[in-house]
Amino acid sequence: MPIGEREHRAIENLVYEWARAVDEGRFEDLAGLLVEDGEYKVASRYNVDRGLPLAVIHTRSRGQLRDRITSLRVANIYEAHCYRHLVSGVQAIGEEGGAFEVRSNYAVIRIMEHDGASSIFSTGQYRDSVVLEGGTPRFRRRHVVFDSKAIDTLLVYPL
Amino acid sequence: MPIGEREHRAIENLVYEWARAVDEGRFEDLAGLLVEDGEYKVASRYNVDRGLPLAVIHTRSRGQLRDRITSLRVANIYEAHCYRHLVSGVQAIGEEGGAFEVRSNYAVIRIMEHDGASSIFSTGQYRDSVVLEGGTPRFRRRHVVFDSKAIDTLLVYPL
Amino acid sequence: MPIGEREHRAIENLVYEWARAVDEGRFEDLAGLLVEDGEYKVASRYNVDRGLPLAVIHTRSRGQLRDRITSLRVANIYEAHCYRHLVSGVQAIGEEGGAFEVRSNYAVIRIMEHDGASSIFSTGQYRDSVVLEGGTPRFRRRHVVFDSKAIDTLLVYPL
């Protein structure tokens, strides 16, 4: 594989940084992890496997993702909770024109604030394209492909 | 520890590749991750701790593992589902004669297709012996030691 | 980030070693992963966010942690069970005077011995300060910040 250790570590750190930003409630930091016209998409494995276009979230730039975050902060009504991400198996499986194709698995545990109940909220695979902009890794594309049809219809926080 | 960064990364990638192959349904790719006479065994912690020989799966070569996969594809009857592996804590804890002794933890979440129900299907430890064949890492031995007695008697997919 | 690959790998290995020691029941090995006057503390996110001092465990030296382990071995009464740690997203987020500030996420699955029931026992974040003593990484501080208020009041094993 043509990827060097330095690049691999930088990519891993990017993937982990996204998860930590969400878990720490720093949603405003997410847009900066994308390139300016970076895509962020959340869709079910069922739809993706069949080439169906429906997605739960689909933003095509930093600005669009920021809009989603603002709406989450000011408009959405939901019960207080937090996420805990487990991300494993970060692999760079290809490279083309300086963009690394990256895979990893995730499980998101959701913890409700009022009673502390913990449950597996979502599991799935990240399918990312990562570029290094002046040494800083960023997502050109981040596709979240979740496993279960049973995901809550309102996805409050990004996965 | 005598292990170099390049070897460590290669071992990690092998461990992650197994998990991803299972989760993506590429079961036919698993045999190639073993050496020709590689051993794959799945047994409970309860049995392993007591030196009891009973295993849920025990194959002693690529060919035997391929047989299991073929049987899973053509003969087994089971409800449609998929796995999602979380693998963490990959550590090389020893080396002898070019074989690295490797440990890691796993949790496998099982997602049923019909209703999307997600549950912790199995947790445990991988106890691997890994060799580098011309730079390519492969399992000489992969022992899956699972924690719970309550595992379903029919293990459909490899862990 | 000023951290080198060698240091990063050593820190990762320390974090994984703690988890493996607990999961394998080698509780006596934990104290050696701290520096002599190392701090180990387990507190809820709720309390930590509000600056409240209450902790479930708070030891300030190897000796104090050893006392806890001895008490767990000889005095506590509890139902037989084991833990399985999943630890992900190890990031070195800062360095000062040779001490690395490290973050990672964890989920601990608890498996009861009598019936094999598995459940998410605790999730949260490790907030560590790690120093390299003659090349050997050790925790100067290990703060476990757990997400849920619903943790069992008696925490038998360290997280």
Side-chain angles (χ1 to χ4, degrees), chain A residues 9 13 16-17 20 23-24 84-85 87 113 116, chain C residues 5 8 12 45 88-89 91 105 107 125 147-149:
Chain A
R9 189 59 84 178
N13 196 56
Y16 295 162
E17 182 61 24
R20 194 165 62 92
D23 293 354
E24 295 182 348
R84 183 61 57 194
H85 277 74
V87 180
E113 194 175 300
Chain C
E5 185 48 36
H8 197 116
E12 233 174 35
R45 184 169 175 167
S88 83
Q91 288 183 290
N105 277 356
Q125 189 183 45
D147 295 321
S148 172
K149 300 182 202 170

mmCIF file with all atom_site columns, all heavy atoms in Angstrom, chain A residues 9 13 16-17 20 23-24 84-85 87 113 116, chain C residues 5 8 12 45 88-89 91 105 107 125 147-149:
data_model
loop_
_atom_site.group_PDB
_atom_site.id
_atom_site.type_symbol
_atom_site.label_atom_id
_atom_site.label_alt_id
_atom_site.label_comp_id
_atom_site.label_asym_id
_atom_site.label_entity_id
_atom_site.label_seq_id
_atom_site.pdbx_PDB_ins_code
_atom_site.Cartn_x
_atom_site.Cartn_y
_atom_site.Cartn_z
_atom_site.occupancy
_atom_site.B_iso_or_equiv
_atom_site.pdbx_formal_charge
_atom_site.auth_seq_id
_atom_site.auth_comp_id
_atom_site.auth_asym_id
_atom_site.auth_atom_id
_atom_site.pdbx_PDB_model_num
ATOM 1   N N   . ARG A 1 9   ? -1.478  7.887  10.214 1.00 0.00 ? 9   ARG A N   1
ATOM 2   C CA  . ARG A 1 9   ? -1.758  8.410  11.547 1.00 0.00 ? 9   ARG A CA  1
ATOM 3   C C   . ARG A 1 9   ? -2.613  9.671  11.449 1.00 0.00 ? 9   ARG A C   1
ATOM 4   O O   . ARG A 1 9   ? -3.523  9.892  12.248 1.00 0.00 ? 9   ARG A O   1
ATOM 5   C CB  . ARG A 1 9   ? -0.442  8.677  12.264 1.00 0.00 ? 9   ARG A CB  1
ATOM 6   C CG  . ARG A 1 9   ? -0.563  9.027  13.703 1.00 0.00 ? 9   ARG A CG  1
ATOM 7   C CD  . ARG A 1 9   ? -1.254  7.974  14.545 1.00 0.00 ? 9   ARG A CD  1
ATOM 8   N NE  . ARG A 1 9   ? -0.367  6.910  15.004 1.00 0.00 ? 9   ARG A NE  1
ATOM 9   C CZ  . ARG A 1 9   ? -0.756  5.901  15.784 1.00 0.00 ? 9   ARG A CZ  1
ATOM 10  N NH1 . ARG A 1 9   ? -2.022  5.803  16.182 1.00 0.00 ? 9   ARG A NH1 1
ATOM 11  N NH2 . ARG A 1 9   ? 0.070   4.959  16.141 1.00 0.00 ? 9   ARG A NH2 1
ATOM 12  N N   . ASN A 1 13  ? -6.346  10.118 13.004 1.00 0.00 ? 13  ASN A N   1
ATOM 13  C CA  . ASN A 1 13  ? -6.631  11.206 13.933 1.00 0.00 ? 13  ASN A CA  1
ATOM 14  C C   . ASN A 1 13  ? -7.840  12.028 13.480 1.00 0.00 ? 13  ASN A C   1
ATOM 15  O O   . ASN A 1 13  ? -8.653  12.468 14.302 1.00 0.00 ? 13  ASN A O   1
ATOM 16  C CB  . ASN A 1 13  ? -5.401  12.106 14.076 1.00 0.00 ? 13  ASN A CB  1
ATOM 17  C CG  . ASN A 1 13  ? -5.501  13.009 15.290 1.00 0.00 ? 13  ASN A CG  1
ATOM 18  O OD1 . ASN A 1 13  ? -5.685  12.543 16.405 1.00 0.00 ? 13  ASN A OD1 1
ATOM 19  N ND2 . ASN A 1 13  ? -5.423  14.315 15.050 1.00 0.00 ? 13  ASN A ND2 1
ATOM 20  N N   . TYR A 1 16  ? -10.941 10.046 14.336 1.00 0.00 ? 16  TYR A N   1
ATOM 21  C CA  . TYR A 1 16  ? -11.188 10.089 15.777 1.00 0.00 ? 16  TYR A CA  1
ATOM 22  C C   . TYR A 1 16  ? -11.647 11.473 16.224 1.00 0.00 ? 16  TYR A C   1
ATOM 23  O O   . TYR A 1 16  ? -12.440 11.605 17.159 1.00 0.00 ? 16  TYR A O   1
ATOM 24  C CB  . TYR A 1 16  ? -9.919  9.690  16.537 1.00 0.00 ? 16  TYR A CB  1
ATOM 25  C CG  . TYR A 1 16  ? -9.481  8.265  16.310 1.00 0.00 ? 16  TYR A CG  1
ATOM 26  C CD1 . TYR A 1 16  ? -8.175  7.867  16.606 1.00 0.00 ? 16  TYR A CD1 1
ATOM 27  C CD2 . TYR A 1 16  ? -10.353 7.296  15.817 1.00 0.00 ? 16  TYR A CD2 1
ATOM 28  C CE1 . TYR A 1 16  ? -7.761  6.551  16.417 1.00 0.00 ? 16  TYR A CE1 1
ATOM 29  C CE2 . TYR A 1 16  ? -9.940  5.983  15.621 1.00 0.00 ? 16  TYR A CE2 1
ATOM 30  C CZ  . TYR A 1 16  ? -8.643  5.616  15.916 1.00 0.00 ? 16  TYR A CZ  1
ATOM 31  O OH  . TYR A 1 16  ? -8.230  4.319  15.737 1.00 0.00 ? 16  TYR A OH  1
ATOM 32  N N   . GLU A 1 17  ? -11.120 12.493 15.566 1.00 0.00 ? 17  GLU A N   1
ATOM 33  C CA  . GLU A 1 17  ? -11.464 13.868 15.948 1.00 0.00 ? 17  GLU A CA  1
ATOM 34  C C   . GLU A 1 17  ? -12.952 14.137 15.697 1.00 0.00 ? 17  GLU A C   1
ATOM 35  O O   . GLU A 1 17  ? -13.627 14.792 16.500 1.00 0.00 ? 17  GLU A O   1
ATOM 36  C CB  . GLU A 1 17  ? -10.600 14.870 15.168 1.00 0.00 ? 17  GLU A CB  1
ATOM 37  C CG  . GLU A 1 17  ? -10.843 16.328 15.509 1.00 0.00 ? 17  GLU A CG  1
ATOM 38  C CD  . GLU A 1 17  ? -10.556 16.691 16.961 1.00 0.00 ? 17  GLU A CD  1
ATOM 39  O OE1 . GLU A 1 17  ? -9.759  15.998 17.623 1.00 0.00 ? 17  GLU A OE1 1
ATOM 40  O OE2 . GLU A 1 17  ? -11.156 17.672 17.440 1.00 0.00 ? 17  GLU A OE2 1
ATOM 41  N N   . ARG A 1 20  ? -14.887 12.503 18.491 1.00 0.00 ? 20  ARG A N   1
ATOM 42  C CA  . ARG A 1 20  ? -14.734 13.192 19.771 1.00 0.00 ? 20  ARG A CA  1
ATOM 43  C C   . ARG A 1 20  ? -15.473 14.523 19.759 1.00 0.00 ? 20  ARG A C   1
ATOM 44  O O   . ARG A 1 20  ? -16.076 14.922 20.764 1.00 0.00 ? 20  ARG A O   1
ATOM 45  C CB  . ARG A 1 20  ? -13.237 13.391 20.087 1.00 0.00 ? 20  ARG A CB  1
ATOM 46  C CG  . ARG A 1 20  ? -12.977 13.790 21.532 1.00 0.00 ? 20  ARG A CG  1
ATOM 47  C CD  . ARG A 1 20  ? -11.506 13.615 21.897 1.00 0.00 ? 20  ARG A CD  1
ATOM 48  N NE  . ARG A 1 20  ? -10.652 14.469 21.094 1.00 0.00 ? 20  ARG A NE  1
ATOM 49  C CZ  . ARG A 1 20  ? -10.257 15.698 21.447 1.00 0.00 ? 20  ARG A CZ  1
ATOM 50  N NH1 . ARG A 1 20  ? -10.640 16.206 22.613 1.00 0.00 ? 20  ARG A NH1 1
ATOM 51  N NH2 . ARG A 1 20  ? -9.481  16.411 20.665 1.00 0.00 ? 20  ARG A NH2 1
ATOM 52  N N   . ASP A 1 23  ? -19.074 13.705 20.410 1.00 0.00 ? 23  ASP A N   1
ATOM 53  C CA  . ASP A 1 23  ? -19.307 13.231 21.775 1.00 0.00 ? 23  ASP A CA  1
ATOM 54  C C   . ASP A 1 23  ? -19.138 14.345 22.807 1.00 0.00 ? 23  ASP A C   1
ATOM 55  O O   . ASP A 1 23  ? -19.776 14.333 23.860 1.00 0.00 ? 23  ASP A O   1
ATOM 56  C CB  . ASP A 1 23  ? -18.346 12.076 22.113 1.00 0.00 ? 23  ASP A CB  1
ATOM 57  C CG  . ASP A 1 23  ? -18.631 10.822 21.290 1.00 0.00 ? 23  ASP A CG  1
ATOM 58  O OD1 . ASP A 1 23  ? -19.635 10.800 20.554 1.00 0.00 ? 23  ASP A OD1 1
ATOM 59  O OD2 . ASP A 1 23  ? -17.853 9.859  21.384 1.00 0.00 ? 23  ASP A OD2 1
ATOM 60  N N   . GLU A 1 24  ? -18.258 15.293 22.509 1.00 0.00 ? 24  GLU A N   1
ATOM 61  C CA  . GLU A 1 24  ? -18.049 16.412 23.437 1.00 0.00 ? 24  GLU A CA  1
ATOM 62  C C   . GLU A 1 24  ? -19.008 17.568 23.149 1.00 0.00 ? 24  GLU A C   1
ATOM 63  O O   . GLU A 1 24  ? -18.918 18.625 23.765 1.00 0.00 ? 24  GLU A O   1
ATOM 64  C CB  . GLU A 1 24  ? -16.595 16.894 23.366 1.00 0.00 ? 24  GLU A CB  1
ATOM 65  C CG  . GLU A 1 24  ? -15.594 15.835 23.842 1.00 0.00 ? 24  GLU A CG  1
ATOM 66  C CD  . GLU A 1 24  ? -14.130 16.309 23.832 1.00 0.00 ? 24  GLU A CD  1
ATOM 67  O OE1 . GLU A 1 24  ? -13.854 17.374 23.244 1.00 0.00 ? 24  GLU A OE1 1
ATOM 68  O OE2 . GLU A 1 24  ? -13.288 15.602 24.413 1.00 0.00 ? 24  GLU A OE2 1
ATOM 69  N N   . ARG A 1 84  ? -21.818 8.348  22.527 1.00 0.00 ? 84  ARG A N   1
ATOM 70  C CA  . ARG A 1 84  ? -20.441 7.881  22.726 1.00 0.00 ? 84  ARG A CA  1
ATOM 71  C C   . ARG A 1 84  ? -20.089 7.026  21.522 1.00 0.00 ? 84  ARG A C   1
ATOM 72  O O   . ARG A 1 84  ? -20.739 6.022  21.257 1.00 0.00 ? 84  ARG A O   1
ATOM 73  C CB  . ARG A 1 84  ? -20.331 7.073  24.034 1.00 0.00 ? 84  ARG A CB  1
ATOM 74  C CG  . ARG A 1 84  ? -18.933 6.609  24.383 1.00 0.00 ? 84  ARG A CG  1
ATOM 75  C CD  . ARG A 1 84  ? -17.934 7.723  24.584 1.00 0.00 ? 84  ARG A CD  1
ATOM 76  N NE  . ARG A 1 84  ? -18.334 8.676  25.607 1.00 0.00 ? 84  ARG A NE  1
ATOM 77  C CZ  . ARG A 1 84  ? -17.764 9.857  25.768 1.00 0.00 ? 84  ARG A CZ  1
ATOM 78  N NH1 . ARG A 1 84  ? -16.766 10.254 24.986 1.00 0.00 ? 84  ARG A NH1 1
ATOM 79  N NH2 . ARG A 1 84  ? -18.189 10.682 26.707 1.00 0.00 ? 84  ARG A NH2 1
ATOM 80  N N   . HIS A 1 85  ? -19.101 7.472  20.766 1.00 0.00 ? 85  HIS A N   1
ATOM 81  C CA  . HIS A 1 85  ? -18.660 6.757  19.574 1.00 0.00 ? 85  HIS A CA  1
ATOM 82  C C   . HIS A 1 85  ? -17.580 5.727  19.906 1.00 0.00 ? 85  HIS A C   1
ATOM 83  O O   . HIS A 1 85  ? -16.641 6.034  20.646 1.00 0.00 ? 85  HIS A O   1
ATOM 84  C CB  . HIS A 1 85  ? -18.010 7.715  18.576 1.00 0.00 ? 85  HIS A CB  1
ATOM 85  C CG  . HIS A 1 85  ? -18.959 8.452  17.700 1.00 0.00 ? 85  HIS A CG  1
ATOM 86  N ND1 . HIS A 1 85  ? -19.723 9.490  18.147 1.00 0.00 ? 85  HIS A ND1 1
ATOM 87  C CD2 . HIS A 1 85  ? -19.262 8.305  16.379 1.00 0.00 ? 85  HIS A CD2 1
ATOM 88  C CE1 . HIS A 1 85  ? -20.455 9.966  17.137 1.00 0.00 ? 85  HIS A CE1 1
ATOM 89  N NE2 . HIS A 1 85  ? -20.197 9.266  16.054 1.00 0.00 ? 85  HIS A NE2 1
ATOM 90  N N   . VAL A 1 87  ? -15.053 3.735  17.417 1.00 0.00 ? 87  VAL A N   1
ATOM 91  C CA  . VAL A 1 87  ? -14.655 3.667  16.011 1.00 0.00 ? 87  VAL A CA  1
ATOM 92  C C   . VAL A 1 87  ? -13.481 2.719  15.919 1.00 0.00 ? 87  VAL A C   1
ATOM 93  O O   . VAL A 1 87  ? -12.522 2.845  16.688 1.00 0.00 ? 87  VAL A O   1
ATOM 94  C CB  . VAL A 1 87  ? -14.249 5.059  15.482 1.00 0.00 ? 87  VAL A CB  1
ATOM 95  C CG1 . VAL A 1 87  ? -13.835 4.974  14.022 1.00 0.00 ? 87  VAL A CG1 1
ATOM 96  C CG2 . VAL A 1 87  ? -15.392 6.043  15.659 1.00 0.00 ? 87  VAL A CG2 1
ATOM 97  N N   . GLU A 1 113 ? -30.239 11.582 29.184 1.00 0.00 ? 113 GLU A N   1
ATOM 98  C CA  . GLU A 1 113 ? -29.827 12.319 30.379 1.00 0.00 ? 113 GLU A CA  1
ATOM 99  C C   . GLU A 1 113 ? -30.712 12.037 31.592 1.00 0.00 ? 113 GLU A C   1
ATOM 100 O O   . GLU A 1 113 ? -30.214 11.894 32.702 1.00 0.00 ? 113 GLU A O   1
ATOM 101 C CB  . GLU A 1 113 ? -29.787 13.829 30.093 1.00 0.00 ? 113 GLU A CB  1
ATOM 102 C CG  . GLU A 1 113 ? -29.056 14.586 31.193 1.00 0.00 ? 113 GLU A CG  1
ATOM 103 C CD  . GLU A 1 113 ? -28.893 16.069 30.900 1.00 0.00 ? 113 GLU A CD  1
ATOM 104 O OE1 . GLU A 1 113 ? -28.270 16.392 29.874 1.00 0.00 ? 113 GLU A OE1 1
ATOM 105 O OE2 . GLU A 1 113 ? -29.397 16.906 31.665 1.00 0.00 ? 113 GLU A OE2 1
ATOM 106 N N   . GLY A 1 116 ? -30.246 8.029  32.403 1.00 0.00 ? 116 GLY A N   1
ATOM 107 C CA  . GLY A 1 116 ? -28.950 7.380  32.186 1.00 0.00 ? 116 GLY A CA  1
ATOM 108 C C   . GLY A 1 116 ? -29.009 6.107  31.365 1.00 0.00 ? 116 GLY A C   1
ATOM 109 O O   . GLY A 1 116 ? -28.013 5.385  31.260 1.00 0.00 ? 116 GLY A O   1
ATOM 110 N N   . GLU C 1 5   ? 5.827   9.230  16.238 1.00 0.00 ? 5   GLU C N   1
ATOM 111 C CA  . GLU C 1 5   ? 5.115   7.975  16.067 1.00 0.00 ? 5   GLU C CA  1
ATOM 112 C C   . GLU C 1 5   ? 5.440   6.990  17.183 1.00 0.00 ? 5   GLU C C   1
ATOM 113 O O   . GLU C 1 5   ? 4.577   6.283  17.673 1.00 0.00 ? 5   GLU C O   1
ATOM 114 C CB  . GLU C 1 5   ? 5.455   7.375  14.704 1.00 0.00 ? 5   GLU C CB  1
ATOM 115 C CG  . GLU C 1 5   ? 4.688   6.141  14.356 1.00 0.00 ? 5   GLU C CG  1
ATOM 116 C CD  . GLU C 1 5   ? 3.187   6.262  14.589 1.00 0.00 ? 5   GLU C CD  1
ATOM 117 O OE1 . GLU C 1 5   ? 2.623   7.352  14.374 1.00 0.00 ? 5   GLU C OE1 1
ATOM 118 O OE2 . GLU C 1 5   ? 2.578   5.270  15.019 1.00 0.00 ? 5   GLU C OE2 1
ATOM 119 N N   . HIS C 1 8   ? 3.524   7.951  20.222 1.00 0.00 ? 8   HIS C N   1
ATOM 120 C CA  . HIS C 1 8   ? 2.099   7.689  20.049 1.00 0.00 ? 8   HIS C CA  1
ATOM 121 C C   . HIS C 1 8   ? 1.802   6.209  20.255 1.00 0.00 ? 8   HIS C C   1
ATOM 122 O O   . HIS C 1 8   ? 0.848   5.832  20.936 1.00 0.00 ? 8   HIS C O   1
ATOM 123 C CB  . HIS C 1 8   ? 1.620   8.135  18.664 1.00 0.00 ? 8   HIS C CB  1
ATOM 124 C CG  . HIS C 1 8   ? 0.145   8.269  18.589 1.00 0.00 ? 8   HIS C CG  1
ATOM 125 N ND1 . HIS C 1 8   ? -0.505  9.453  18.371 1.00 0.00 ? 8   HIS C ND1 1
ATOM 126 C CD2 . HIS C 1 8   ? -0.832  7.354  18.777 1.00 0.00 ? 8   HIS C CD2 1
ATOM 127 C CE1 . HIS C 1 8   ? -1.807  9.254  18.404 1.00 0.00 ? 8   HIS C CE1 1
ATOM 128 N NE2 . HIS C 1 8   ? -2.030  7.978  18.638 1.00 0.00 ? 8   HIS C NE2 1
ATOM 129 N N   . GLU C 1 12  ? -0.588  4.501  23.120 1.00 0.00 ? 12  GLU C N   1
ATOM 130 C CA  . GLU C 1 12  ? -1.688  3.619  22.730 1.00 0.00 ? 12  GLU C CA  1
ATOM 131 C C   . GLU C 1 12  ? -1.574  2.273  23.435 1.00 0.00 ? 12  GLU C C   1
ATOM 132 O O   . GLU C 1 12  ? -2.538  1.731  23.959 1.00 0.00 ? 12  GLU C O   1
ATOM 133 C CB  . GLU C 1 12  ? -1.622  3.398  21.213 1.00 0.00 ? 12  GLU C CB  1
ATOM 134 C CG  . GLU C 1 12  ? -2.905  3.696  20.487 1.00 0.00 ? 12  GLU C CG  1
ATOM 135 C CD  . GLU C 1 12  ? -2.702  3.593  18.974 1.00 0.00 ? 12  GLU C CD  1
ATOM 136 O OE1 . GLU C 1 12  ? -1.921  2.745  18.506 1.00 0.00 ? 12  GLU C OE1 1
ATOM 137 O OE2 . GLU C 1 12  ? -3.326  4.383  18.263 1.00 0.00 ? 12  GLU C OE2 1
ATOM 138 N N   . ARG C 1 45  ? -19.725 12.166 34.229 1.00 0.00 ? 45  ARG C N   1
ATOM 139 C CA  . ARG C 1 45  ? -19.692 13.354 33.378 1.00 0.00 ? 45  ARG C CA  1
ATOM 140 C C   . ARG C 1 45  ? -20.535 14.463 33.987 1.00 0.00 ? 45  ARG C C   1
ATOM 141 O O   . ARG C 1 45  ? -20.160 15.629 33.944 1.00 0.00 ? 45  ARG C O   1
ATOM 142 C CB  . ARG C 1 45  ? -20.252 12.948 32.012 1.00 0.00 ? 45  ARG C CB  1
ATOM 143 C CG  . ARG C 1 45  ? -20.214 14.018 30.973 1.00 0.00 ? 45  ARG C CG  1
ATOM 144 C CD  . ARG C 1 45  ? -20.541 13.418 29.605 1.00 0.00 ? 45  ARG C CD  1
ATOM 145 N NE  . ARG C 1 45  ? -20.628 14.443 28.590 1.00 0.00 ? 45  ARG C NE  1
ATOM 146 C CZ  . ARG C 1 45  ? -20.644 14.208 27.284 1.00 0.00 ? 45  ARG C CZ  1
ATOM 147 N NH1 . ARG C 1 45  ? -20.570 12.972 26.836 1.00 0.00 ? 45  ARG C NH1 1
ATOM 148 N NH2 . ARG C 1 45  ? -20.710 15.188 26.408 1.00 0.00 ? 45  ARG C NH2 1
ATOM 149 N N   . SER C 1 88  ? -11.360 3.166  21.930 1.00 0.00 ? 88  SER C N   1
ATOM 150 C CA  . SER C 1 88  ? -11.072 3.666  20.588 1.00 0.00 ? 88  SER C CA  1
ATOM 151 C C   . SER C 1 88  ? -10.751 5.141  20.601 1.00 0.00 ? 88  SER C C   1
ATOM 152 O O   . SER C 1 88  ? -10.987 5.845  21.586 1.00 0.00 ? 88  SER C O   1
ATOM 153 C CB  . SER C 1 88  ? -12.246 3.388  19.644 1.00 0.00 ? 88  SER C CB  1
ATOM 154 O OG  . SER C 1 88  ? -13.244 4.361  19.765 1.00 0.00 ? 88  SER C OG  1
ATOM 155 N N   . GLY C 1 89  ? -10.174 5.571  19.500 1.00 0.00 ? 89  GLY C N   1
ATOM 156 C CA  . GLY C 1 89  ? -9.956  7.003  19.315 1.00 0.00 ? 89  GLY C CA  1
ATOM 157 C C   . GLY C 1 89  ? -8.872  7.582  20.194 1.00 0.00 ? 89  GLY C C   1
ATOM 158 O O   . GLY C 1 89  ? -8.998  8.722  20.646 1.00 0.00 ? 89  GLY C O   1
ATOM 159 N N   . GLN C 1 91  ? -6.121  9.718  21.165 1.00 0.00 ? 91  GLN C N   1
ATOM 160 C CA  . GLN C 1 91  ? -5.550  10.944 20.596 1.00 0.00 ? 91  GLN C CA  1
ATOM 161 C C   . GLN C 1 91  ? -4.677  11.644 21.623 1.00 0.00 ? 91  GLN C C   1
ATOM 162 O O   . GLN C 1 91  ? -5.090  11.797 22.779 1.00 0.00 ? 91  GLN C O   1
ATOM 163 C CB  . GLN C 1 91  ? -6.663  11.924 20.201 1.00 0.00 ? 91  GLN C CB  1
ATOM 164 C CG  . GLN C 1 91  ? -7.477  11.550 18.984 1.00 0.00 ? 91  GLN C CG  1
ATOM 165 C CD  . GLN C 1 91  ? -8.490  12.646 18.674 1.00 0.00 ? 91  GLN C CD  1
ATOM 166 O OE1 . GLN C 1 91  ? -9.447  12.829 19.421 1.00 0.00 ? 91  GLN C OE1 1
ATOM 167 N NE2 . GLN C 1 91  ? -8.282  13.367 17.590 1.00 0.00 ? 91  GLN C NE2 1
ATOM 168 N N   . ASN C 1 105 ? -12.039 6.978  24.014 1.00 0.00 ? 105 ASN C N   1
ATOM 169 C CA  . ASN C 1 105 ? -13.392 6.564  24.374 1.00 0.00 ? 105 ASN C CA  1
ATOM 170 C C   . ASN C 1 105 ? -13.379 5.110  24.811 1.00 0.00 ? 105 ASN C C   1
ATOM 171 O O   . ASN C 1 105 ? -12.575 4.323  24.322 1.00 0.00 ? 105 ASN C O   1
ATOM 172 C CB  . ASN C 1 105 ? -14.330 6.680  23.156 1.00 0.00 ? 105 ASN C CB  1
ATOM 173 C CG  . ASN C 1 105 ? -14.867 8.082  22.958 1.00 0.00 ? 105 ASN C CG  1
ATOM 174 O OD1 . ASN C 1 105 ? -14.614 8.975  23.764 1.00 0.00 ? 105 ASN C OD1 1
ATOM 175 N ND2 . ASN C 1 105 ? -15.615 8.273  21.880 1.00 0.00 ? 105 ASN C ND2 1
ATOM 176 N N   . ALA C 1 107 ? -16.092 1.665  25.953 1.00 0.00 ? 107 ALA C N   1
ATOM 177 C CA  . ALA C 1 107 ? -17.338 1.021  26.357 1.00 0.00 ? 107 ALA C CA  1
ATOM 178 C C   . ALA C 1 107 ? -16.919 -0.250 27.068 1.00 0.00 ? 107 ALA C C   1
ATOM 179 O O   . ALA C 1 107 ? -16.013 -0.956 26.615 1.00 0.00 ? 107 ALA C O   1
ATOM 180 C CB  . ALA C 1 107 ? -18.209 0.688  25.151 1.00 0.00 ? 107 ALA C CB  1
ATOM 181 N N   . GLN C 1 125 ? -15.263 8.509  28.671 1.00 0.00 ? 125 GLN C N   1
ATOM 182 C CA  . GLN C 1 125 ? -14.006 8.995  28.106 1.00 0.00 ? 125 GLN C CA  1
ATOM 183 C C   . GLN C 1 125 ? -12.884 8.859  29.135 1.00 0.00 ? 125 GLN C C   1
ATOM 184 O O   . GLN C 1 125 ? -13.095 9.153  30.313 1.00 0.00 ? 125 GLN C O   1
ATOM 185 C CB  . GLN C 1 125 ? -14.168 10.474 27.721 1.00 0.00 ? 125 GLN C CB  1
ATOM 186 C CG  . GLN C 1 125 ? -13.006 11.043 26.924 1.00 0.00 ? 125 GLN C CG  1
ATOM 187 C CD  . GLN C 1 125 ? -13.171 12.526 26.614 1.00 0.00 ? 125 GLN C CD  1
ATOM 188 O OE1 . GLN C 1 125 ? -13.535 13.314 27.481 1.00 0.00 ? 125 GLN C OE1 1
ATOM 189 N NE2 . GLN C 1 125 ? -12.887 12.912 25.379 1.00 0.00 ? 125 GLN C NE2 1
ATOM 190 N N   . ASP C 1 147 ? -20.465 8.264  31.260 1.00 0.00 ? 147 ASP C N   1
ATOM 191 C CA  . ASP C 1 147 ? -21.575 9.023  30.695 1.00 0.00 ? 147 ASP C CA  1
ATOM 192 C C   . ASP C 1 147 ? -22.867 8.925  31.480 1.00 0.00 ? 147 ASP C C   1
ATOM 193 O O   . ASP C 1 147 ? -23.658 9.860  31.507 1.00 0.00 ? 147 ASP C O   1
ATOM 194 C CB  . ASP C 1 147 ? -21.877 8.512  29.272 1.00 0.00 ? 147 ASP C CB  1
ATOM 195 C CG  . ASP C 1 147 ? -20.737 8.775  28.312 1.00 0.00 ? 147 ASP C CG  1
ATOM 196 O OD1 . ASP C 1 147 ? -20.139 9.859  28.409 1.00 0.00 ? 147 ASP C OD1 1
ATOM 197 O OD2 . ASP C 1 147 ? -20.449 7.901  27.481 1.00 0.00 ? 147 ASP C OD2 1
ATOM 198 N N   . SER C 1 148 ? -23.097 7.781  32.076 1.00 0.00 ? 148 SER C N   1
ATOM 199 C CA  . SER C 1 148 ? -24.456 7.521  32.553 1.00 0.00 ? 148 SER C CA  1
ATOM 200 C C   . SER C 1 148 ? -24.589 7.674  34.057 1.00 0.00 ? 148 SER C C   1
ATOM 201 O O   . SER C 1 148 ? -23.719 7.239  34.813 1.00 0.00 ? 148 SER C O   1
ATOM 202 C CB  . SER C 1 148 ? -24.862 6.103  32.166 1.00 0.00 ? 148 SER C CB  1
ATOM 203 O OG  . SER C 1 148 ? -26.077 5.770  32.770 1.00 0.00 ? 148 SER C OG  1
ATOM 204 N N   . LYS C 1 149 ? -25.684 8.267  34.469 1.00 0.00 ? 149 LYS C N   1
ATOM 205 C CA  . LYS C 1 149 ? -25.986 8.329  35.906 1.00 0.00 ? 149 LYS C CA  1
ATOM 206 C C   . LYS C 1 149 ? -26.389 6.966  36.447 1.00 0.00 ? 149 LYS C C   1
ATOM 207 O O   . LYS C 1 149 ? -26.458 6.765  37.651 1.00 0.00 ? 149 LYS C O   1
ATOM 208 C CB  . LYS C 1 149 ? -27.184 9.253  36.159 1.00 0.00 ? 149 LYS C CB  1
ATOM 209 C CG  . LYS C 1 149 ? -27.016 10.665 35.714 1.00 0.00 ? 149 LYS C CG  1
ATOM 210 C CD  . LYS C 1 149 ? -28.287 11.425 36.104 1.00 0.00 ? 149 LYS C CD  1
ATOM 211 C CE  . LYS C 1 149 ? -28.434 12.653 35.238 1.00 0.00 ? 149 LYS C CE  1
ATOM 212 N NZ  . LYS C 1 149 ? -29.737 13.295 35.411 1.00 0.00 ? 149 LYS C NZ  1
#
